Amino acid sequence: MKKSIIISAIALCFSLGTVNATPLNSTRNTLESVRYFKVNSFCVSIALGDIDTVMKLLSLGEDVNQISNGMTPAMYAAKFNRTEILELLIIHGADLKTKNSKKMTAAKYAEIHGATDAALIIKETLAEKKKK
């Protein structure tokens, strides 16, 4: 009986404490402070490593060099070390030399995020293309 009374008293204290609470920044509309990043479904599939969806979208004519939230699909594949998907994008004509607004390439994303396998694939592909 004592436990239930104590628990009820604590719950009542918490509920009374929050009734009069006001937001810290009550003058600013909270909807204005929310940022929305729009990443297309193709790049989300790459980031998640969903190769089946990536292959489906490629067969439907998805652009392998489109920019989504400031990054190309190859940049997403490099960042998340999705090597199979990266190779698939390269086969379908992904431009590995493309720089985004931050002057970063897919190779730079692989380097920053420690994606050594993706970095190696990019390095070998660029070296091969240079020979041609």
Side-chain angles (χ1 to χ4, degrees):
M1 181 74 173
K2 288 182 183 179
K3 281 185 181 178
S4 61
I5 293 172
I6 292 171
I7 292 172
S8 298
I10 291 171
L12 182 62
C13 289
F14 279 119
S15 66
L16 291 176
T18 58
V19 168
N20 294 324
T22 58
L24 292 175
N25 194 359
S26 60
T27 58
R28 187 174 178 189
N29 187 350
T30 57
L31 292 177
E32 291 175 13
S33 62
V34 175
R35 285 186 161 175
Y36 293 99
F37 296 104
K38 293 190 177 188
V39 179
N40 64 29
S41 58
F42 185 52
C43 291
V44 169
S45 299
I46 292 168
L48 295 174
D50 186 357
I51 195 162
D52 294 331
T53 302
V54 171
M55 289 189 324
K56 266 183 207 168
L57 291 170
L58 285 172
S59 70
L60 293 171
E62 195 71 41
D63 181 9
V64 295
N65 292 309
Q66 67 182 319
I67 302 291
S68 177
N69 196 31
M71 294 170 58
T72 64
M75 291 174 187
Y76 281 101
K79 178 179 178 177
F80 294 103
N81 205 30
R82 306 296 187 203
T83 55
E84 286 184 69
I85 295 173
L86 181 59
E87 289 172 341
L88 191 61
L89 295 172
I90 291 168
I91 290 168
H92 282 85
D95 184 2
L96 299 175
K97 294 182 179 180
T98 300
K99 291 184 179 183
N100 63 6
S101 61
K102 297 177 184 177
K103 306 291 185 225
M104 292 177 53
T105 62
K108 188 65 175 175
Y109 276 102
E111 177 188 331
I112 289 172
H113 294 280
T116 54
D117 296 335
L120 183 62
I121 290 170
I122 293 168
K123 183 179 176 182
E124 289 174 352
T125 303
L126 291 174
E128 187 179 300
K129 286 184 179 184
K130 201 173 193 180
K131 288 180 184 178
K132 291 181 181 180

